[in-house]
Amino acid sequence: MTTSLPETDLKTLLDDRPMGAFQLLLVAICFILNMNDGIDVLVVSFTGSEITREWGLSKTELGYVFSAGLAGMTAGCFLLAPLGDTIGRRTVFIISLSLITAGMLLSSVVSAYWQLLVFRVVTGLGIGGILANLAAVAAEFSNNKRRDFTVGLVQAGWPVGAILAGFFTAWAVPLFGWRSAYLVAGLVSALMLVCILLFMPESMAFLLEKQPKNALKQLNKLLVRMNLATVDSLPALPAQATTTRPTDLFAPAYRGSTWRLWVGIFFGFLTLYTLMSWVPTLAKEAGMPFDLATYIGSALNAGAFVGSALFGLLAARTGLRQLILGFMVIAFGTMIGYGTLSMAYGLMFGMTFLIGFFVQGGFNGFYPTIARVYPAAIRTTGMGLATGVGRFGAIIGPALFGLLSDAGVSRTMLFLLFSLPLLVAGLMAFTIPSKELR
C-alpha cells in the first residue's frame, strides 16, 4: 500500500501507535552505543592509579589526563554533533565511532604521557560527536508516550558500560597491565562501528526535514521495516531551503530554555565528571586494594543506572522539571554526608551507590528535556551545543579537584564545594520555560 505523505502525517502516526520491534531494536542499539561510550570514558578513571604509578604522575597531571578526553568531547559536541542536523545522524555515528576506535587502539600502545593525552583528545572528539545524536535518534524513533523513558533509558546505558569497564579492569589490569583495557575497549568500538554500518538507518525525522539525496527511497525502506505503508512523495520543502544555525537556538521560542539548559548542564557536568574521575582513586588512597577501589567506581555507576532507569519511569508521571530538581537536592545532601562521615567499606559502597543514583540519575533528565525543548530540525544542534558548553564544566571539574587536593584542601571541603553546583543545575532545570515540558 502506498500513500501520499502530504495527506498522512507519519510523525503523528508514530506518536499514536505502539513502538514496534524495529523501533525497539534501534533504541537498543543506541543503548549499547552509550554503553560503549561509558567504557571509553571511564576506563581512564579505572586505570588512573596504575598510570600514575608507572609514570610517577602527580594528582594534577592525572587530572589533565581526565580532562584531555573531556576537552576532546567538548570539541566533538561543537564540531561533530551539530552535523547530525545537516549530514545525518547515521553519518555522524560512523565518523564518531571511527575516531573512538582509533583513539582507544592507539592509547593501548602509548609509551609516553603526552601520547596518552593526544589520543584521549581523539577518543573524546568521537564521543562528543555521538552522544547528542544518540538522544536525538532515540527520541525520533519513539512514540510520544515513551519518548522521555526511551531517551532516559539510552542514557542509562552509559553507567552500564562503566560498570562493565570496572569489572573488566579489576580482573585484566593486574594480569595484563593497564593498556589491555584500552585495547579491548577499542575492539568493542570497532564492533559497534560494524553494527551501525549494517543495521542503523537514517532517522525519519531527518529524512523528512532535510530530504537528502535518495530520501524517498530511504524513507520507504524504513517504513517497510516498521510495518508502515510506503509513500509516493515527500512534503514540499520551503522555496528557500533553510540551514540550521546555532543562532536558531536563541529564537524567542527557545532563548530562555537554551540559557537555562547551558548553565544547568555546565554545573551538572562539573560535579558529575569530577566524581566519576576521582572516586576510584580516592578509594584506593583510603587504603582499598586495587580491585575493591575499582568496584567502588562500579557502585557509582550501578547507582547511576538504577537512578536513570527509575527517572525515566517517573518522568511521565511527575514531570521532568520537578524530578530533576528533586534528584539534585537529594544528591546535594548525599554528597555532604559522603564528605563528612567516617565510613567503613560497606557504608562507603552504599553511599557511593546513592551518589550515582541521584547525581547521574537526575542529571540524565536533561537529555529528554532537550529532546522536548527543540524540534527535529535543530535537535542535534541543540543537544550538541548544550552538552558542548557543559563539557567545559566536565573539563574544569576533575582538573580543579586535583589542584585543590594537591593544595591540601580537606575531603570534607572538597565534597561541599563540588556538591553546590548540583543545586544550580536543579534550579535551572526547574525554571525552563518551554511549553513542551510539564
Side-chain angles (χ1 to χ4, degrees), residues 274-289:
T274 299
L275 290 169
M276 291 188 298
S277 298
W278 282 104
V279 161
T281 300
L282 292 176
K284 193 168 188 298
E285 288 181 351
M288 277 191 177

Side-chain angles (χ1 to χ4, degrees), residues 291-409:
D291 56 347
L292 281 184
T294 302
Y295 294 148
I296 276 284
S298 296
L300 182 75
N301 288 289
F305 169 73
V306 177
S308 298
L310 182 61
F311 186 100
L313 290 172
L314 294 175
R317 299 180 180 181
T318 307
L320 290 166
R321 286 182 287 212
Q322 296 90 331
L323 203 56
I324 293 173
L325 177 61
F327 267 58
M328 290 302 183
V329 169
I330 299 173
F332 169 81
T334 306
M335 281 190 63
I336 295 297
Y338 192 94
T340 304
L341 298 173
S342 178
M343 296 178 287
Y345 287 173
L347 181 58
M348 187 180 293
F349 271 95
M351 290 292 287
T352 302
F353 178 90
L354 290 177
I355 287 177
F357 184 100
F358 289 108
V359 174
Q360 191 161 347
F363 177 80
N364 281 348
F366 277 101
Y367 292 99
T369 299
I370 295 171
R372 288 205 173 266
V373 165
Y374 300 119
I378 59 171
R379 186 169 289 138
T380 60
T381 298
M383 192 81 67
L385 294 187
T387 53
V389 170
R391 297 292 173 188
F392 286 109
I395 295 169
I396 292 169
L400 180 60
F401 193 96
L403 288 168
L404 292 175
S405 295
D406 282 343
V409 177

Side-chain angles (χ1 to χ4, degrees), residues 242-260:
T242 58
T243 301
T244 302
R245 299 167 299 177
T247 53
D248 295 339
L249 306 178
F250 293 92
Y254 311 119
R255 186 183 302 122
S257 298
T258 295
W259 283 119
R260 286 168 175 81

Side-chain angles (χ1 to χ4, degrees), residues 25-40 89-102 104-105 130 134 154 157 161 164 184-201:
L25 171 64
L26 295 178
V27 171
I29 290 175
C30 290
F31 179 89
I32 296 170
L33 283 171
N34 219 8
M35 282 177 54
N36 181 65
D37 284 349
I39 293 170
D40 296 336
R89 284 56 159 145
R90 183 178 184 271
T91 303
V92 172
F93 282 162
I94 293 170
I95 295 171
S96 297
L97 280 167
S98 298
L99 289 169
I100 293 169
T101 301
M104 293 304 290
L105 292 178
I130 206 170
L134 285 176
V154 166
L164 294 176
V184 172
L187 294 175
V188 172
S189 295
L191 178 61
M192 293 312 303
L193 175 58
V194 173
C195 289
I196 291 298
L197 291 170
L198 293 177
F199 301 115
M200 176 66 76

